[in-house]
């Protein structure tokens, strides 16, 4: 493997700034890696080699002209396929939007371009971000670089796999119930869900509006901080966007110790249903954090037990409304428009063909949950649970600075293993959902391997205290580095491109 | 043809209940949730962006000016203003809705519990306002082929320029106790709202352009019944006269059905301007389920008490007080003043007086001449292409003796036709009264010579006969002679 692409984004940025490397060289190396691995991993749905090289050359030219550029200028990045891009299709992993090229850029995409990052392509995802395994993509599943028979997590499995397999140093994802953190955990990458409103959702195709949050997917804590600094901050196009100063995330990621930091271990997220290897790595990580100066407490958040069922009412309810615009009339797939069908029939046929099983399942659940006569029993009750979860967080943060838990109860499961059992699939997001329900900041950091597969540790912080995630993550990363390499680099197995069967 | 009951007769058996829903289109510079221009007309689909087209990924941001207008309307309707409220999604399918849900307000309207007092034929009626809420308009669909309705159309054309235009929907509580005055009360209410939103400056309130439109609910219950009858909702009634006509028509139609022992079907109905009838639209037999829920893409709206009070301080004079003040100032009888109000020209008359005309003269031009032209051309009186200052200018020409009333009508024609200011029209059309004694004298001599019998009568002292000669001189001068002068000359010559 080309040594170049093993470097962190921060380091690559430094080398380009020092004139030791051009963006074009780096972009070519990433494109070569993508070309070699993507047929196996299916992490990218679309690669724009020409566009990426043009963008890279433009950055190189600006640098040569002496322009003041940001620390990530010239670094290649993958963008989840639910962000609107004017120069590449945006499909959301769905047949419904096959080939659709939006007429506008998402705010995140705009900010990446302005900061000089090189967008190499669009990464695979569960259809409309519904799923925990990237198996519901119409364009086929993405495979986990650690074991190509296993899932890379979801819905942002494409972004996580692309970063974990060194196709690109950076990617952006979107996290509605864990779609950045859960793939991060099972692929050994850093995944951050910033505070709700911390990164603009404008141009991110909505799944569940009150829960969706864009965020970084990287291989190091510092890279994630650098990336969040680029994409975050106030945006007048998103009414939920927070109009307040962003704390210094980069400094937090570089903090040396955790002296005086109070860390609460969530008692509800351990024990039965959690794999032994996951709990062992988690326990070791807790000891490392203690050794770094943190005070460790046990904290109970009883309402977290109800987070999963409540989430599976609110999220389908909102998505049933958000997906109503896909009617086959204005953009995307149109089926049955052969002059023999009425407009209503065309709409039905387009939806029949355009949406996959999981999308249909959730649209039906959501429509039912919102319907007159059931609203109070389902959606209304779920909103009450949401308030209880927020109250649990508020109470916990009176005594501790952050909460931690395993990110997922298990390591990556096998492709196909849970597809016929939606309930078991939904359990993959058990630990990540409460943060989305409360709108606070949360991240997953690699904390070792279990049977050769990555395990993640989740850190949860109060709203607008994203810097605490980076401080804890950064210290943990350095503590693990002596045993692991930076991070997990030396233990990444060679990907056998021949072993995969379709 | 539907069988109808006799209007006066039905009121001996039935009590009408009205419910009015008025949509007011706000005249904000931009749309409700995006920065697109909020302009009437324009090439189809030119005032659009990802937000008002509902493209995937787009997000709404609420227009602060629209919220301000909503609060001012609420205050002017004596409503309470919510200290905290939200927008909601109303989920349903229609091709002119870009997102397949409408962003509206449901259980948390920005304004609620108000009232309006109306005077009709000297009696005061109080209409209670249940709520005034904010919502966005949909696009405009034109169904081509078939009957012109969506069912059976060959294809539909959709213009999204109007999609996302801010609307305020004002909903009354059931209006009871109006008896035979129900149609007039409804008309007076809509006229009041129209005047109010124009005075507030928040809407053009042009009914013919749909910027103020009324849905009229009406039901009949047997007198003494303790519950309301089944109602129908007549959609998009787009003039004051139509409001009155549609309601009296529905009353007589429903009464005939009830008299026959039939049941009223709850449905929406279309109003037909041409013959003043209504016909069934979409059936509402089953309750609609809009699956309302709080719009998660928009933050709650929490107008501070201070802001609301600031806005209250900007309210214009309440219409009833204004009317009392103007009637007293102008010294009009109830009938004369009522004519001004009913023609929708109150503000126009006021401005014409401000521009220098006497109240009587201002009233004369607007209520007789211009109201007739507005009616003939089917536009609102304030949409006519003549300003109060120009009307005052026309009257000034009359006062100066440069034109008479008859010629003044032609001056108005010219102004309406875009020929310029009144004085310019007089010039261009050669309308000035001829008071040049030489020309008049010649014309008078000519007429006297042609009518020796009449001349003889006048010489004999029958002065009244002069009228016939004056008429002929006027005719010869194409109406441009100064009649008083002509009379003077005739009497002088035949003395």
């Amino acid at each position: 493997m080309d040594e170049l692409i093993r470097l962190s984004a921060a380091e690559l940025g430094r080398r380009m700034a020092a004139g030791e490397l051009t963006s074009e060289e780096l972009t070519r190396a990433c494109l070569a890696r993508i070309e070699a691995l993507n047929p196996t991993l299916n992490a990218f749905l679309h690669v724009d080699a020409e566009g990426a090289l043009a963008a890279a050359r433009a950055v190189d030219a600006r640098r040569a002209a002496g322009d003041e550029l940001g620390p990530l200028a010239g670094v290649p990045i993958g963008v989840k396929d639910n962000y609107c891009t004017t120069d590449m299709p945006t499909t959301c992993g769905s047949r419904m939007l096959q080939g659709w090229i939006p007429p506008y850029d998402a705010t995140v995409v705009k900010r990446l371009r302005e900061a000089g990052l090189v967008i190499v392509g669009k990464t695979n995802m569960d259809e409309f971000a519904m799923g925990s395994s990237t198996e519901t993509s119409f364009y086929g599943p993405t495979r986990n670089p650690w074991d190509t028979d296993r899932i890379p997590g979801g819905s942002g499995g494409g972004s996580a796999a692309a970063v974990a397999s060194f196709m690109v140093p950076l990617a952006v994802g979107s996290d509605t119930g864990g779609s950045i953190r859960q793939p991060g955990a099972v692929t050994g990458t850093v995944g951050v869900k910033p505070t709700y409103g911390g990164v603009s959702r404008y141009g991110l195709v909505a799944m569940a509006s009150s829960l969706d949050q864009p965020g970084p997917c990287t291989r190091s804590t510092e890279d994630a901080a650098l990336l969040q600094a680029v994409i975050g901050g106030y945006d007048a196009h998103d009414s939920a966007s927070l109009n307040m100063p962003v704390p210094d995330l980069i400094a937090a990621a570089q903090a040396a110790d955790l002296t005086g930091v109070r860390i609460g271990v969530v008692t509800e997220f351990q024990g039965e249903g959690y794999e032994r290897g996951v709990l062992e790595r988690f326990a070791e990580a807790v000891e490392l954090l203690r050794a770094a100066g943190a005070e460790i407490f046990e904290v109970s958040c009883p309402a977290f037990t109800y987070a999963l069922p409540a989430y599976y009412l609110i999220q389908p309810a909102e998505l049933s409304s958000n997906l109503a615009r896909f009617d086959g009339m204005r953009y995307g797939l149109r089926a049955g428009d052969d002059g023999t069908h009425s407009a209503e029939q065309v709409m039905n046929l387009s939806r029949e063909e355009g949406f996959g099983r999981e999308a249909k399942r959730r649209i039906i659940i959501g429509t039912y949950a919102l319907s007159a006569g059931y609203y109070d029993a389902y959606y209304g009750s779920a909103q009450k649970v949401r308030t209880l979860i927020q109250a649990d967080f508020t109470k916990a943060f009176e005594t501790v600075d952050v909460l931690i838990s395993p990110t997922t109860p298990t390591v990556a499961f096998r492709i196909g293993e849970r597809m016929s059992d939606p309930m078991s699939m939904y359990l993959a997001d058990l630990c990540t959902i409460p943060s989305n329900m409360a709108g606070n900041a949360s991240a997953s950091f690699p904390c070792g391997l279990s049977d050769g597969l990555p395990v993640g540790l989740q850190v949860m912080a109060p709203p607008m205290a994203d810097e605490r995630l980076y401080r804890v993550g950064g210290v943990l990363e350095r503590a693990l580095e002596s045993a692991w390499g930076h991070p997990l680099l030396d233990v990444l197995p060679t990907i056998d491109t021949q072993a995969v069967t379709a | 043809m539907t069988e109808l009951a006799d209007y006066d007769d039905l009121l001996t058996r039935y009590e009408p209940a009205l419910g009015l829903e008025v949509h007011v289109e706000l005249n904000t510079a931009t749309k409700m949730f995006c920065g697109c221009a909020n302009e009437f007309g324009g090439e189809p689909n030119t005032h659009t962006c990802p937000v008002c087209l509902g493209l995937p990924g787009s997000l709404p941001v609420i227009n602060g000016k629209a919220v301000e207008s909503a609060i001012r309307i609420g205050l002017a309707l004596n409503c309470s203003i919510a200290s905290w409220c939200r927008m909601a999604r109303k989920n349903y399918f229609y091709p002119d809705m870009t997102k397949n849900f409408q962003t509206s307000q449901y259980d948390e309207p920005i304004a609620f519990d108000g009232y309006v007092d109306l005077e009709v034929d000297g009696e005061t009626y109080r209409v209670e306002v249940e709520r005034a809420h904010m919502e966005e308009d949909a696009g405009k669909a034109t169904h081509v082929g078939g009957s012109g309705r969506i069912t059976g159309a060959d294809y539909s054309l959709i213009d999204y320029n109007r999609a996302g235009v801010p609307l305020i929907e004002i909903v009354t509580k059931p209006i009871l106790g109006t008896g035979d005055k129900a149609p007039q009360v409804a008309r007076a209410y809509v006229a009041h709202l129209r005047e109010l939103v124009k005075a507030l400056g928040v809407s053009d309130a042009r009914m013919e352009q749909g910027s103020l439109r009324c849905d009229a609910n009406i039901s009949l219950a047997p007198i003494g019944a303790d519950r309301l009858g089944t109602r129908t909702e007549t959609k998009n009634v787009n003039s004051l006269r139509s409001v009155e006509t549609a309601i009296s028509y529905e009353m007589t139609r429903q009464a005939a059905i009830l008299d026959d022992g039939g049941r009223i079907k709850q449905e929406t109905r279309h109003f037909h301007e041409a013959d003043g009838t209504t016909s069934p639209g979409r059936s509402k037999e089953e309750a609609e389920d809009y699956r309302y829920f709080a719009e998660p893409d928009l933050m709650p709206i929490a107008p501070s008490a201070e802001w609301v009070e600031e806005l209250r301080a900007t309210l214009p004079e309440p219409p009833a007080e204004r009317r009392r003040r103007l009637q007293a100032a102008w010294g009009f009888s109830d009938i004369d003043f009522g004519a001004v109000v009913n023609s929708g020209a109150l503000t126009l008359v006021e401005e014409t007086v401000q521009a220098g005309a006497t109240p009587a003269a201002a009233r004369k031009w607007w209520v007789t001449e211009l109201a007739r032209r507005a009616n003939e051309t089917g536009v609102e009186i304030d949409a006519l292409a003549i300003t109060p200052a120009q009307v005052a200018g026309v009257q000034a020409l009359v006062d100066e003796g440069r034109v008479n009333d008859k010629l003044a009508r032609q001056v108005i024609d010219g102004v309406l036709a875009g020929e310029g200011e009144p004085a310019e029209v007089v010039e261009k059309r050669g309308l000035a009264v001829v008071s040049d004694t030489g020309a008049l004298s010649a014309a008078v001599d000519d007429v006297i010579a042609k009518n020796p019998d009449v001349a003889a009568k006048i010489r004999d002292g029958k002065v009244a006969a002069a009228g016939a000669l004056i008429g002929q001189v006027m005719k010869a001068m194409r109406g441009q002679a100064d009649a008083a002068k002509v009379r003077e000359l005739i009497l002088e010559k035949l003395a």
Side-chain angles (χ1 to χ4, degrees):
Chain A
M1 175 169 48
D2 190 339
E3 284 306 310
L4 195 58
I5 58 176
R6 299 173 65 117
L7 299 171
S8 72
E11 176 60 20
L12 291 165
R14 281 190 281 273
R15 291 195 185 188
M16 283 187 277
E20 297 162 19
L21 174 68
T22 66
S23 176
E24 185 175 355
E25 285 173 72
L26 174 59
T27 303
R28 285 191 190 282
C30 288
L31 289 169
R33 179 79 172 167
I34 292 169
E35 201 181 332
L37 290 186
N38 205 50
T40 304
L41 297 180
N42 196 27
F44 278 93
L45 292 180
H46 181 88
V47 176
D48 180 17
E50 286 310 308
L53 288 169
R57 282 191 287 265
V59 174
D60 289 337
R62 283 175 61 194
R63 191 164 264 138
D67 279 10
E68 191 79 24
L69 298 176
L72 295 180
V75 177
I77 188 167
V79 172
K80 193 175 178 180
D81 204 27
N82 52 353
Y83 286 91
C84 287
T85 44
T86 49
D87 50 0
M88 283 177 262
T90 294
T91 73
C92 295
S94 180
R95 186 176 184 193
M96 191 55 106
L97 281 176
Q98 192 161 26
W100 182 60
I101 299 182
Y104 73 112
D105 274 332
T107 296
V108 162
V109 169
K110 225 169 136 183
R111 290 186 177 177
L112 292 175
R113 295 195 207 273
E114 281 162 6
L117 280 91
V118 174
I119 301 174
V120 298
K122 304 296 285 291
T123 58
N124 201 3
M125 57 184 285
D126 279 303
E127 183 180 9
F128 286 107
M130 287 171 226
S132 306
S133 67
T134 315
E135 290 170 287
T136 70
S137 169
F138 174 73
Y139 308 98
T142 295
R143 292 172 184 274
N144 192 321
W146 293 82
D147 178 348
T148 51
D149 286 338
R150 292 179 187 265
I151 59 99
S155 63
S159 287
V163 170
S165 64
F166 301 92
M167 291 176 174
V168 277
L170 303 171
V172 284
S174 66
D175 191 311
T176 306
S179 290
I180 297 174
R181 290 162 289 159
Q182 183 259 3
V186 303
T187 61
T189 52
V190 174
V192 181
K193 182 201 92 70
T195 300
Y196 184 75
V199 180
S200 170
R201 295 171 298 133
Y202 187 74
L204 169 71
V205 180
M207 173 164 68
S209 309
S210 73
L211 303 160
D212 295 341
Q213 184 53 46
C217 169
T218 66
R219 286 195 302 267
S220 80
T221 307
E222 187 189 21
D223 284 0
L226 288 165
L227 184 51
Q228 189 177 336
V230 168
I231 61 177
Y234 178 66
D235 177 21
H237 285 109
D238 181 353
S239 159
S241 180
L242 299 168
N243 192 0
M244 49 188 63
V246 181
D248 191 344
L249 308 175
I250 299 158
Q254 293 160 345
D257 62 42
L258 296 175
T259 306
V261 174
R262 295 163 301 165
I263 295 178
V265 177
V266 179
T267 54
E268 279 75 14
F269 289 155
Q270 46 191 319
E272 205 184 329
Y274 288 77
E275 283 180 357
R276 181 205 284 243
V278 168
L279 292 178
E280 282 174 3
R281 292 298 87 75
F282 180 71
E284 289 163 17
V286 170
E287 287 316 309
L288 290 173
L289 295 172
R290 196 196 304 275
E295 292 174 60
I296 309 291
F297 302 87
E298 291 259 303
V299 175
S300 175
C301 296
F304 286 14
T305 320
Y306 306 107
L308 189 74
Y311 174 84
Y312 276 101
L313 289 167
I314 291 170
Q315 181 252 77
E318 291 188 9
L319 87 84
S320 72
S321 171
N322 283 330
L323 264 52
R325 73 191 64 197
F326 298 102
D327 55 12
M329 290 294 143
R330 289 162 289 240
Y331 40 79
L333 181 77
R334 181 183 289 181
D337 187 15
D338 54 8
T340 70
H341 297 102
S342 69
E344 198 173 346
Q345 286 169 327
V346 169
M347 206 185 276
N348 288 341
L349 289 167
S350 302
R351 286 172 167 166
E352 170 60 31
E353 287 183 26
F355 288 132
R357 279 176 65 92
E358 187 62 24
K360 287 174 188 158
R361 176 171 17 238
R362 295 197 198 191
I363 289 167
I364 296 294
I365 292 171
T367 305
Y368 187 75
L370 282 177
S371 58
Y374 297 100
Y375 180 95
D376 289 335
Y378 294 122
Y379 185 82
S381 304
Q383 290 289 18
K384 284 178 192 144
V385 170
R386 195 169 182 173
T387 308
L388 293 176
I389 292 167
Q390 282 163 342
D392 271 4
F393 270 119
T394 306
K395 188 158 168 275
F397 290 131
E398 282 167 10
T399 53
V400 298
D401 299 307
V402 295
L403 290 171
I404 60 169
S405 75
T407 308
T408 56
T410 69
V411 295
F413 47 89
R414 288 179 188 282
I415 288 175
E417 193 181 302
R418 299 190 185 180
M419 276 303 270
S420 56
D421 182 358
M423 286 309 291
S424 74
M425 180 74 87
Y426 297 165
L427 284 170
D429 292 331
L430 185 68
C431 307
T432 49
I433 283 170
S435 294
N436 299 87
M437 297 283 266
N440 59 1
S442 195
S444 177
F445 300 98
C447 72
L449 298 179
S450 165
D451 293 333
L453 293 168
V455 172
L457 175 135
Q458 178 176 229
V459 185
M460 295 166 268
M464 291 164 279
D466 302 37
E467 75 282 2
R468 296 186 197 174
L469 307 175
Y470 289 101
R471 184 166 181 198
V472 174
V475 169
L476 177 66
E477 183 176 292
R478 277 185 290 284
L480 286 166
E481 211 173 294
S482 50
W484 283 68
H486 176 262
L488 313 189
L489 295 193
D490 301 328
V491 283
L492 176 64
T494 312
I495 297 161
D496 182 353
T497 55
Q498 305 306 312
V500 173
T501 48
Chain B
M1 187 68 195
T2 315
E3 196 192 330
L4 302 177
D6 178 76
Y7 186 78
D8 292 326
D9 181 47
L10 77 89
L11 290 156
T12 63
R13 299 185 301 282
Y14 300 109
E15 170 71 34
L18 285 169
L20 300 167
E21 294 169 23
V22 173
H23 283 88
V24 178
E25 194 176 295
L26 299 179
N27 60 4
T28 50
T30 57
K31 292 187 183 181
M32 190 74 177
F33 300 116
C34 66
C36 286
N38 175 21
E39 274 171 29
F40 182 78
E43 283 292 299
N45 297 307
T46 50
H47 302 155
T48 59
C49 73
V51 176
C52 55
L53 289 176
L55 290 187
S58 61
L59 293 174
V61 176
I62 202 158
N63 182 338
K65 197 74 194 171
V67 176
E68 181 184 307
S69 299
I71 294 173
R72 294 181 72 220
I73 289 174
L75 290 171
L77 294 171
N78 303 298
C79 286
S80 302
I81 303 301
S83 57
W84 192 92
C85 66
R86 284 180 296 196
M87 301 302 294
R89 289 190 186 177
K90 182 179 184 181
N91 291 284
Y92 66 102
F93 296 115
Y94 208 73
D96 59 7
M97 279 214 312
T98 60
K99 299 166 295 194
N100 277 329
F101 61 78
Q102 183 188 25
T103 309
S104 179
Q105 289 196 299
Y106 177 49
D107 49 355
E108 300 169 307
I110 186 136
F112 52 93
D113 288 349
Y115 65 87
V116 170
D117 285 331
L118 303 167
E119 249 178 70
V120 175
D121 292 349
E123 277 209 59
T124 302
Y125 294 86
R126 173 161 290 197
V127 172
E128 291 186 293
V129 173
E130 186 176 295
R131 56 191 282 153
H133 70 249
M134 299 179 280
E135 62 183 36
E136 59 176 341
D137 207 348
K140 181 182 168 214
T142 310
H143 306 295
V144 183
S147 64
R149 302 220 181 273
I150 187 166
T151 312
D154 293 331
Y155 58 93
S156 301
L157 299 171
I158 303 186
D159 177 6
Y160 289 114
N161 281 355
R162 211 172 68 193
V165 161
L167 299 178
I168 303 298
E169 183 175 347
I170 302 163
V171 183
T172 67
K173 291 180 183 165
I175 306 165
L176 301 167
T178 54
D180 64 331
K181 292 290 188 305
Q184 290 92 319
V185 170
R187 178 187 176 135
Y189 171 75
V190 177
H192 174 90
L193 290 187
R194 195 177 65 163
E195 200 181 315
L196 186 77
V197 296
K198 279 200 281 194
L200 287 167
V202 297
S203 172
D204 306 332
R206 300 252 159 90
M207 294 190 80
E208 82 285 359
Q209 289 183 357
S211 65
L212 188 142
R213 38 191 203 264
C214 175
D215 298 342
N217 289 280
I218 183 99
S219 68
L220 294 181
I223 286 176
D226 55 3
R227 49 194 280 188
L228 301 176
T230 305
R231 68 171 193 275
T232 60
E233 182 182 9
T234 305
K235 300 292 264 187
N236 293 329
V237 192
N238 283 341
S239 75
L240 293 180
R241 194 179 46 187
S242 299
V243 169
E244 206 174 326
T245 316
I247 288 170
S248 26
Y249 177 82
E250 268 303 282
M251 285 169 70
T252 50
R253 189 190 67 85
Q254 290 186 14
I257 294 170
L258 294 173
D259 284 346
D260 251 16
R263 283 176 57 235
I264 303 301
K265 212 164 127 193
Q266 184 172 331
E267 63 189 356
T268 61
R269 297 183 66 87
H270 300 289
F271 178 70
H272 308 286
E273 294 274 353
D275 61 359
T277 63
T278 68
S279 65
R282 190 160 42 111
S283 176
K284 263 199 178 175
E285 300 241 48
E286 286 169 55
E288 304 221 21
D289 185 355
Y290 291 116
R291 304 187 312 284
Y292 279 104
F293 72 107
E295 166 59 271
D297 282 326
L298 286 166
M299 293 300 100
I301 299 153
S304 70
E306 294 76 36
W307 189 39
V308 172
E309 288 317 306
E310 271 171 42
L311 294 177
R312 195 191 298 278
T314 69
L315 291 184
E317 183 181 16
E321 278 177 38
R322 174 166 174 247
R323 288 183 192 184
R324 272 194 292 275
R325 177 176 60 78
L326 290 177
Q327 187 176 357
W330 295 345
F332 283 1
S333 70
D334 286 350
I335 289 175
D336 283 354
F337 193 76
V340 175
V341 171
N342 289 335
S343 62
L346 190 64
T347 301
L348 296 166
V349 170
E350 188 183 10
E351 287 170 3
T352 306
V353 172
Q354 280 162 5
T358 62
R363 179 183 158 276
K364 174 186 70 183
W365 293 120
W366 285 108
V367 174
T368 57
E369 203 56 31
L370 292 161
R372 181 176 58 77
R373 284 159 205 259
N375 231 338
E376 281 167 7
T377 46
V379 301
E380 299 286 323
I381 194 163
D382 60 357
L384 290 172
I386 188 165
T387 63
Q390 287 169 327
V391 174
V394 170
Q395 181 59 36
L397 293 173
V398 174
D399 293 342
E400 290 161 18
R402 292 180 60 196
V403 295
N404 53 32
D405 276 14
K406 198 175 158 197
L407 292 169
R409 287 191 196 101
Q410 293 183 51
V411 177
I412 287 173
D413 282 338
V415 174
L416 289 171
E419 291 167 22
E421 292 302 310
E424 292 174 71
V425 174
V426 169
E427 197 69 25
K428 283 184 194 158
R429 292 197 172 192
L431 292 176
V433 166
V434 178
S435 46
D436 160 30
T437 321
L440 283 183
S441 180
V444 168
D445 288 344
D446 189 42
V447 168
I448 289 174
K450 284 181 182 158
N451 297 277
D453 315 353
V454 184
K457 279 185 189 169
I458 297 171
R459 279 202 188 91
D460 288 351
K462 291 181 179 162
V463 177
L469 296 187
I470 295 170
Q472 289 196 38
V473 173
M474 291 301 278
K475 202 172 167 189
M477 303 289 296
R478 296 186 0 263
Q480 284 170 252
D482 180 334
K485 198 108 194 167
V486 173
R487 181 184 171 85
E488 211 175 286
L489 280 171
I490 291 171
L491 295 181
E492 207 178 282
K493 287 175 194 275
L494 300 175

